[in-house]
Amino acid sequence: MIYSMILFVSAIQIILHQRLKQDAALDRLFMFNRMRTYMHFVYITVHTCFIMLTLYIMAHLMQQHLSIKFYTICFVCTLIYEVVLSVLLFNVRTISHRLFMTVTFTIALIALYMSIVTGGLL
């Protein structure tokens, strides 16, 4: 439940980073080799670390002893989530489309995650 809430709330980062998508500045930045890849990598790394750190702190505050398998599955799902979110943020121009696609992908990923954790798929 904790991880599902963190994923759903982190979908709000689309709104918080709306100003990050400035086409003129990004066009100048992308003139250099590998800057697009570097920017996506940094974005994904920072947000994945932030979500995993939040998950660890929440589990520690709630005195939940979670296994390494749980954190590994959470890390993989979060990494997939952030890759898709990064692509949506920088490639889709309309905020309503970004929000719809983010919420839909978040719900799908939560369903997949819940089935993995409860023993449904793996």
Side-chain angles (χ1 to χ4, degrees):
M1 184 171 148
I2 294 171
Y3 186 71
S4 299
M5 287 305 296
I6 288 174
L7 269 181
F8 194 73
V9 170
S10 68
I12 296 172
Q13 73 188 15
I14 289 291
I15 295 172
L16 295 177
H17 292 162
Q18 178 181 357
R19 302 285 180 213
L20 184 63
K21 176 99 170 67
Q22 297 177 3
D23 291 326
L26 287 175
D27 286 341
R28 288 191 300 272
L29 183 69
F30 293 155
M31 289 177 9
F32 302 105
N33 292 335
R34 296 186 210 119
M35 282 306 290
R36 182 179 304 263
T37 306
Y38 179 70
M39 186 178 67
H40 284 287
F41 177 75
V42 169
Y43 181 86
I44 292 166
T45 303
V46 167
H47 283 279
T48 301
C49 291
F50 180 71
I51 290 174
M52 291 305 296
L53 182 64
T54 305
L55 177 64
Y56 178 75
I57 290 171
M58 290 298 293
H60 184 68
L61 289 176
M62 296 177 76
Q63 298 178 355
Q64 297 291 321
H65 301 288
L66 303 172
S67 67
I68 297 297
K69 181 181 178 184
F70 173 80
Y71 285 115
T72 304
I73 292 171
C74 288
F75 178 75
V76 170
C77 286
T78 304
L79 197 61
I80 293 168
Y81 178 76
E82 288 299 331
V83 166
V84 171
L85 220 58
S86 175
V87 170
L88 287 176
L89 182 62
F90 293 107
N91 292 338
V92 177
R93 297 192 182 272
T94 310
I95 188 76
S96 62
H97 289 84
R98 278 191 247 162
L99 284 173
F100 174 74
M101 290 170 25
T102 301
V103 170
T104 305
F105 181 69
T106 301
I107 292 170
L109 193 62
I110 288 171
L112 175 69
Y113 170 78
M114 294 307 287
S115 65
I116 289 173
V117 169
T118 57
L121 291 178
L122 292 178

